Structure formats: structure tokens, C-alpha cells
Amino acid sequence: MKNLHIPVGHTTLANGLRVVVSPDRSAPVVTVGVYYQIGFRLEPFGRSGFAHLFEHMMFQGSANAGKMEHIRLINSSGGMLNGTTNYDITNYFESVPSNALARVLWLEADRMRALKVDDENLRNQRDVVKEEVRVNVMNQPYGGFPWLDLPPVAFRNWPNAHNFYGDFADLDAATLADVQHFFHTYYAPNNAVLLMVGDLDPAESFALAKRYFEDIPTHPLPPVADVSEPPQTEERRGAVPEKFGPLPAIAIGYTFPPRDNPDWYAAAILDRALHGGRVGRVYRRLVLEKEIAVETDGGADIIETNGPTQMVTRIFHTPDDNSDDVIAAFDEVIREIQEQGVTEEELAPVKVKLRADFYSNLEGGMGAHMPRFGLMHYLACFTLFDGDPNRINTVLDGFQAVTAAQVQAVAKKYLVPKNRAILVRQPVAKAAA
Amino acid sequence: MSGTNATAVDPKSGAAGNSAAQRSSAVPPLGPERPVAWPKRSVKTLANGLQVVLAEVHTFPKITAQLFFRSGNALVAHTTPGLAEMTATVVRTGTASRPSRQIEEDLRRMGGDLGTNAGADSSAISIAGLSEFSEGLLELVADLARNASFPAEEFERERRQKIEGLRIERTTPGFLANERFRQVLFGQHPYAVISPTEEQVASYQREQLENFYRENYSPANALLIVVGDFASEAMFAQIEKIFGEWKSSTPEPPKSPAPPRNIGRKVHLVHLPGSVQTQLVVGNLGITRRDPDWMRLVIANSIYGGAFHSRLVMNIREQKGYTYSPRSGIQSMRQQGFFNVHAAVRNDVAAASLTEIFYEMDRMRSLPVSDEELESARSYLTGVFSLGVATQDGVLGQLSTIYLDRLPEDHLETYRARIHALTAADIILAARKYFDSANAQIVVVGDKAQIGEQAALFGEVTEYNAGA
């Protein structure tokens, strides 16, 4: 077995900004990201969707790069850019030819130092975000299923349970003062990590980071939000009408152990025995053997979250079957893995596949024009959540060490009704066209 | 547009002599452009006609491979639409020696991902996995290409799944818009059909799949590209061993009727009751990548609507907030190409959005782009092109373009120079020829009660029902 060692260098600037680099000179391109430890889970109470709306505002202008300048400068340097809002982080990233590294850092530093936006920018991006929500959720079959539907059923603490894309009334209520306040609260160098991966020299990159970022003032950070959940005592269920799609769809989520829990590695292996394409137990049983489902998929985002998270299975079935019967078939799969565990013949290939997927993710992970996005993303999560970017080189060992007995034990411990939530999307009756 | 001040240098901070402020107010210049070294590739054709292209990329211990057959859904569009896709789907479900479950277990054991699919012009078996298992991965590809057994039960199940998938597709605004657009643009030409109907899928016979497979999954009709962590010489030897015995037959190339010539703007309204947004697609026939005008059109499209900082995105997203993700694109297929603009817009600005889409087209057709815009577009295209060299998928994608489209061997190496040679005159020439605003076809998917009157402002309206 051929193992991979990822070179990782890291430092912390005087203002608290963490800087992580990983050189790879095989192609003359570099991917840069700034990750802030603020996500939609942590947005202000009652202001659903604000973290994401704010992410859009970060492209609307900073002290020395006005509206559209940021995008124009990256594109005209030969690069691609984007930003995403996640549960616990918001990221901004660019892939560019490596001769543009200094320019990218200058732009990221400029908007970390001083956001410069006005009411017109806010109105404009509020409209853009509403169209984003319409195109991705309100006007799509199975839009938002289940990443927006399931959390309100599964969780009770508002940070985990609200509408992350935002209710339009909440988006409308956002003011420019809110935007500036949010910026000054969370967008501080001491709440972020800067990452550079690709065609770079580590010493030069650290020097550039120091040059552009180190004089950005530190802010006091608010106390860490409490995202813990009250203990769950019974299975939770919810239903949402499906406006366009013809098939009933079911999402089943089990709350998984947090990242610092010893069960974390075994839970990941369990997830991959159950899911992981056509060979996974759920697809094989429900789609291939019983033919009670048309399609299933699922998984758990464990590396990327820093709070309550679920392993979620999605099942689409025809109206000929009753959703309860489909859930009963799924429960059979769960019962089997709890009672009989997994064999070595299953465990070994699951680990091989996990390793292969890990490498593929490090190499790309975000389309054809964002090389090493996955590597950057994992380095950011390991830095912000675990304080150790070098975990990129040890995390596989943890997965490889999981035993069959541990997999069975986590199946018994976590895959229980009082640890799960079920959401059903039932198609609404259609009027004749 | 607010981004008219090209550089963000603030003279005041320089005058103040504050080095920190100076440092932060001037856009750093680009360093010297680094050369892009495309991975060394070797090309060989085996005695049975199989063309093999290898490229070594050693950064991750994995390989990515794709076996293409130069026959796709266009070949069967007039008899059994979608048959190539259905054939590809069922190919992965069994061979003479491996039942479906064995195939999936073998894949997992080698860390493999497998995909089988067909587009208009080709069918493909794609695989990726750990390089330590490259022999086993390629043996699996060969087994699927040579010995697929089309088990009856798997065929029936995959067909039922396909029908359910089609039902969902036909409730998706983006799909409905593309489907109608292609029908309008291509008429009787096989490219008009992007997906079969439920009834067509229901009438497939297992024997039809086997026939398509026998006639088209053949080495003389195939191209194998392997990218990844291997030594080319050893890999050629392995491929010779695995694929060398495969026997060939050559299928007939399809003969297609010409697409219609659409004169005058026409509106095609697909009624989707309850739609809270309007999906627009606007466009016309274009050219293929082999046309001498292709690079001109590439840069014109990039300035018009092909990039985030393009005119269309600036206009209807960043200035007006009508939409989240407007974009234009140019598509090259083997026989024909087309130009399209798409945007999902707020219902009450459907007409306003179309007005801007045509305004920006006409501006491209009548006024030369500025030097700054030209330089920016060149730099964007050459830079983004080089991002594609950094992943195995990116390299494989570029190589498949060259070898499937039979472009010159030095296509990648000369790409940047060809972009740098383009001028404002090239752009206006391409816009006048290929952004055919006077004869563009307009597809509008939405609730007709909300958008019918707006759509009618742009030409004669033909109405359709979604899913019908």
C-alpha cells in the first residue's frame, strides 16, 4: 500500500491569524482560502440566513477594491473564485496561476481589514440571494431536501434547528448596520485561518502573509455559542409537502458522535458500510434486492462540522409503496448490522475505499477549476476545530485502526430510535395539466 | 457599472508616506507568467484499432481512466431515443463472469469509482481508483467493454429506475428549458432529443441493448485515456495484455438531416404551474471546436456571459439583482454547435431580463471591446486553462477533447499563444456571426399566468405544458 505524505507548514501571526501552507509544485497554480469560524449555525438568533447573506456582501467591496473589483481582479488574473457558508465556517477561496499569489492575498487582506458596502449593495445582494433560494429550493423538485428540512425536525436548539438559507422576512429585515456589526464581531484575524496550497515556497508565502495581514487589528471575540442539544428521548418525525417531484422521499438522520469523541472514527466506517454507492448495505437491500426504493444515498459530513451532526440516508420510492414499509426495510438493515456486525471481508474494502476517496477529495473536491480545494478545506477544518493541520497526515491511520467490534458497538449505540429523526416529503396531488 | 475605476490605487495613502497604508492600497502586480508543462503523453494504436493515450501525473497514488466509444444517443435518436444511455447503464450490471454484486465488491476492494454513460456522440466507461490496483481496474473496464451480459432482471430494474428518473427530470425547470431549447434548435436532427419519453424507455427490448453494444463497443471505435500515477511503458504493456485480444468491427457513422434554419425571434413557453421563478434559455446554432472561428467565439462568449466578471453577470446579477446564476455558453458537439444563455429570474422581471440579454448581445455585435477588457479576457482564459492541468480529471478532460474531436496534437501546448493572438476585431466578428440576436430562439419555463404577457413582447409564442 502506497501512502501519501502531505507537506504542511504553519505559523500564527502576531494578530492571531493562523497561516497554513502546503507546497505542491507539480502545476503552476495555487489555491488560496480564508476560513472564518462563523457559519449559519452561529448566526444571530432570529436572523435566519444572515451568515449566507453576509458571505455575499464580502464580494461587494472593501476599502481599496470596490464593488466588482474583487471578482474582476481574480478573473483577470486567470483565476476562479467562490465562497460558501457552512454549519461552522464560512470560506472564501481562489484558484489562480501562481504568479497572482500576492494579488490574491492583498485582496483577501483588504476585505478582512475593512468591508466597504452600502445600502444599494445590500438591496442588490438580498435580491440575488432570494433568486438563489428560489432556484435551489423553492422552484426545484426536492429542493433543500433534506439539508434544510431535516434540522428543524432533528434538533431543538435554534442554532442547529433553523432555516439556514433564511426566511425571506428575516432577509428583508437585515440592515447595513447588522452587516457591519457582524463583520466587526466575527471577521477578525484571530477568528480565521489563511491557507495556501500548490505552487509556492513556504518561506516566501509566510512572508507574504505577514506583509499583507499582520497589521490587521485583532478583535475581542464573543463567547463561543452554545450549540449543544438537550438530550433526545424519543424518535422525532416531520413531514413536508413536495410541490414538484412525483416520488415520496424519506430522510433518516442519526445524530453522530462529535469529533473529539473516541467513537468518531468507527462511526465514519459504519457510515461507509451502510452507504458508499451501490455496494453499501442500504442501496443493496432497498434498491437492488427488495426493490422497494428507486434510489438511496447518504453519508455524514464529519470532518467539516464542529457541533451536532447527523448521518443522513435519503430514500426515494414510488407511491405504490407505503413510506412506513420502506422505513421498516431500512430498519432491517440497521438491525442486521447491530446484531451481526461487519466481517473482515467487508471492513477491509471499506477502508480501502475510504482511503481512495480521501485522496480524490484532496486532489480536487470542488469541480474542475479548483485544484486541491479538498486539501485546503480539510487543512482548514483540522486547524480551526482541532488546532492541528498535521492531522491531514494522521487521520487515515485512525480510520484504518477501527475494528469490526468497534463498528458493531457504534451501530448499537448510535443507530437507535431516540437518536434519530425522520422526515418525509410527500408529493402534493397534482391538478390535471 | 461601479467597477469602472480599473485600479484601486489611492494616491492619498501614497502621499501620506505610511508604508502600511501604501502596502494595502495598491493592487500588487502579477509576477512573470510561469510556463505550463502539460504532462508528457504517449499515444499508441493497438493492432485491433484501439487508440490509447497515456499521461503520467504522480501527485496522488491513483489513476483515472476513460474508455470512449464514438457512438452515442444521436446514432439511435430516430429509432430508439436514449438507447445508448440505457445500454451504458446496464453494461455495469453484469458480465459473463461477474454478477452485479461482484462488480461492485471488486470496485470497493480497489478503491474504485465506476461510471457508465452516453452522450449524444459517445458512450463511455469511466473508472478511478488507487494506482496499486491499476491492473485490476483496467481488467474490469475491459470485462465490461467485452463481456457485458445484460442480465434480464437488472435490465428490468434499471429501466424502471430510468423511468422514475425521467419523471423527476420533467419537473425540473432547468431540464425542461434545455429539452425544449434543443428541440427548437435541432428539429429533425438527432441532437434535438436530450432524453427519451417514459413510453420510449418502457418499450426498450433487452436485445436492442445487446445489439447496440455488439455493434458499437468495439476497439476500432474506441479511445482509451489513462491518467495517473504509473510508468507509461509498463502501463502500455499492461493495456496490450488486457485489451490486445479484443476483436473489432466498425460501425457505420450516422447520417443526419440538417437542423432547421430559424428565422426571426420566437418564444417557446413551457407552462409549469406554481413556478415561483422563470427559467430562461436564449440562443442559436453555432459551430464546432474544429471551426476556424472557434477561438474567436471562445473569447467573445467569455466577455459576454461566460465568466463571473462578464458583462451579462455584471448587468443582471450585480447591478440589477434579477438572478443568481446567469451564464452563457458555447457547446461543441461532433456535427454541430450552439450558443445559449441561461438565467433563472424573478417572475416579474422576465421581460426586463430578456431585454438585457439582447442588449448585451447587440452591444457585443456593434461596439469593439476595450483593450482592458480584451486583456482581462485573454488572461482569464489562459489562466483558467492552466488550472485544468492540476488534477487527473482536468488532464483527462482536456485529452478527451483533443482525441475525441480529432484536434491537432499540439492543441494544449498552443492554446495560450492562440488566445493571446486574439484581437477586438476577432471578437466583433464572432459576435456578429454567432450571437444571432435577431433570430435567437427564446425558451421560457414558468407559470404562464405570471409571465405569458411578458414573453409575448419578444415574438410569436408557442405554448407547451411541462411534462407533456
Side-chain angles (χ1 to χ4, degrees), chain B residues 109-383:
Chain B
R109 190 172 46 73
M110 300 185 286
D113 279 310
L114 174 71
T116 56
N117 59 61
D121 295 320
S122 61
S123 301
I125 301 172
S126 318
I127 206 156
L130 295 171
S131 46
E132 65 205 71
F133 300 111
S134 64
E135 185 170 9
L137 291 164
L138 291 172
E139 276 169 358
L140 176 58
V141 171
D143 197 23
L144 298 174
R146 300 177 61 180
N147 310 313
S149 59
F150 298 90
E153 273 179 38
E154 302 283 347
F155 164 62
E156 295 294 343
R157 185 180 38 71
E158 293 290 349
R159 183 166 60 172
R160 284 197 298 274
Q161 281 179 267
K162 182 75 76 192
I163 289 170
E164 296 301 339
L166 290 173
R167 286 185 181 147
I168 294 176
E169 271 185 345
R170 291 203 166 88
T171 66
T172 307
F175 175 86
L176 290 167
N178 286 331
E179 180 171 55
R180 181 55 51 192
F181 180 71
R182 289 279 287 270
Q183 283 167 356
V184 168
L185 229 52
F186 286 100
Q188 293 306 306
H189 189 279
Y191 291 166
V193 181
I194 66 168
S195 226
T197 64
E198 291 171 32
E199 294 73 26
Q200 285 163 342
V201 174
S203 70
Y204 290 157
Q205 302 296 310
R206 190 176 152 272
E207 293 68 32
Q208 293 175 309
L209 276 63
E210 286 184 303
N211 288 341
F212 185 89
Y213 178 75
R214 195 171 48 247
E215 284 163 19
N216 297 289
Y217 283 54
S218 133
N221 193 38
L223 163 68
L224 174 65
I225 304 178
V226 189
V227 178
D229 186 24
F230 53 76
S232 294
E233 214 164 300
M235 180 55 80
F236 266 128
Q238 209 169 73
I239 288 170
E240 185 75 58
K241 195 178 102 202
I242 296 170
F243 292 90
E245 296 298 303
W246 188 14
K247 294 285 179 288
S248 215
S249 64
T250 311
E252 286 284 302
K255 296 177 194 70
S256 305
R261 208 161 156 246
N262 287 304
I263 304 293
R265 280 183 200 166
K266 290 201 180 66
V267 179
H268 310 268
L269 192 161
V270 181
H271 175 47
L272 184 63
S275 184
V276 297
Q277 198 176 41
T278 303
Q279 176 71 51
L280 303 172
V281 178
V282 176
N284 49 262
L285 288 175
I287 50 176
T288 73
R289 213 176 257 108
R290 296 167 60 80
D291 191 290
D293 281 340
W294 178 258
M295 295 301 271
R296 295 183 173 117
L297 183 55
V298 165
I299 195 164
N301 175 63
S302 151
I303 292 171
Y304 172 74
F308 199 166
H309 76 305
S310 62
R311 292 176 173 189
L312 184 72
V313 180
M314 291 304 97
N315 181 337
I316 62 176
R317 173 180 155 130
E318 290 299 306
Q319 286 186 337
K320 302 200 172 70
Y322 291 167
T323 172
Y324 168 60
S325 50
R327 243 358 107 86
S328 70
I330 47 172
Q331 317 302 329
S332 168
M333 300 161 83
R334 190 179 302 150
Q335 303 174 39
Q336 299 278 341
F338 60 90
F339 163 69
N340 63 353
V341 185
H342 47 95
V345 307
R346 205 163 72 228
N347 282 339
D348 63 349
V349 294
S353 301
L354 285 169
T355 301
E356 299 302 327
I357 286 169
F358 285 117
Y359 163 74
E360 295 293 359
M361 269 195 217
D362 290 337
R363 194 155 71 97
M364 292 290 300
R365 291 167 54 90
S366 45
L367 299 171
V369 300
S370 70
D371 288 348
E372 189 207 329
E373 213 172 6
L374 174 65
E375 188 42 47
S376 166
R378 284 178 183 148
S379 173
Y380 172 72
L381 290 168
T382 57

Side-chain angles (χ1 to χ4, degrees), chain A residues 84-331:
Chain A
T84 71
T85 311
N86 306 266
Y87 286 87
D88 304 295
I89 48 178
T90 305
N91 58 6
Y92 303 86
F93 47 91
E94 298 83 14
S95 282
V96 291
S98 47
N99 65 337
L101 177 59
R103 178 174 285 187
V104 172
L105 295 179
W106 177 85
L107 280 164
E108 286 296 357
D110 201 55
R111 64 177 167 183
M112 183 185 287
R113 190 188 316 272
L115 187 64
K116 192 177 171 194
V117 292
D118 58 23
D119 274 316
E120 192 189 325
N121 301 148
L122 178 59
R123 275 195 300 276
N124 168 256
Q125 288 305 306
R126 188 189 287 137
D127 284 347
V128 170
V129 166
K130 286 181 183 176
E131 292 320 301
E132 179 179 351
V133 175
R134 287 192 176 108
V135 75
N136 286 337
V137 182
M138 297 163 69
N139 215 42
Q140 284 299 321
Y142 311 102
F145 172 74
W147 75 277
L148 293 175
D149 301 330
L150 191 55
V153 179
F155 297 124
R156 290 293 175 267
N157 188 4
W158 190 86
N160 305 318
H162 68 281
N163 174 1
F164 305 130
Y165 240 155
D167 299 327
F168 281 12
D170 286 353
L171 295 176
D172 286 337
T175 66
L176 200 60
D178 293 334
V179 169
Q180 290 297 356
H181 179 72
F182 195 75
F183 178 73
H184 289 297
T185 307
Y186 295 110
Y187 280 67
N190 44 315
N191 196 38
V193 57
L194 164 68
L195 305 109
M196 295 172 258
V197 302
D199 182 31
L200 56 84
D201 173 81
E204 281 171 26
S205 308
F206 286 135
L208 285 172
K210 204 169 151 65
R211 177 168 172 209
Y212 291 113
F213 287 88
E214 195 159 43
D215 62 354
I216 300 173
T218 300
H219 309 187
L221 296 174
V224 178
D226 178 12
V227 300
S228 66
E229 280 290 314
Q232 184 179 344
T233 52
E234 57 191 3
E235 180 175 286
R236 292 170 178 163
R237 291 217 182 197
V240 171
E242 168 56 38
K243 192 173 140 193
F244 295 105
L247 301 180
I250 304 166
I252 304 173
Y254 289 97
T255 300
F256 251 28
R259 58 194 303 123
D260 56 356
N261 187 294
D263 291 337
W264 187 79
Y265 290 107
I269 298 287
L270 170 67
D271 166 27
R272 300 178 66 95
L274 291 170
H275 301 110
R278 293 179 168 225
V279 72
R281 287 177 176 230
V282 174
Y283 188 94
R284 193 201 302 147
R285 174 65 54 81
L286 270 59
V287 179
L288 301 180
E289 291 171 7
K290 294 197 87 152
E291 299 190 347
I292 196 168
V294 174
E295 181 67 51
T296 73
D297 57 28
D301 288 336
I302 57 165
I303 291 180
E304 297 149 89
T305 51
N306 193 33
T309 187
Q310 293 197 307
M311 176 186 78
V312 179
T313 307
R314 302 197 316 162
I315 306 169
F316 296 81
H317 66 89
T318 72
D320 300 340
D321 287 302
N322 183 303
S323 291
D324 285 335
D325 295 338
V326 178
I327 294 168
F330 172 84
D331 284 341

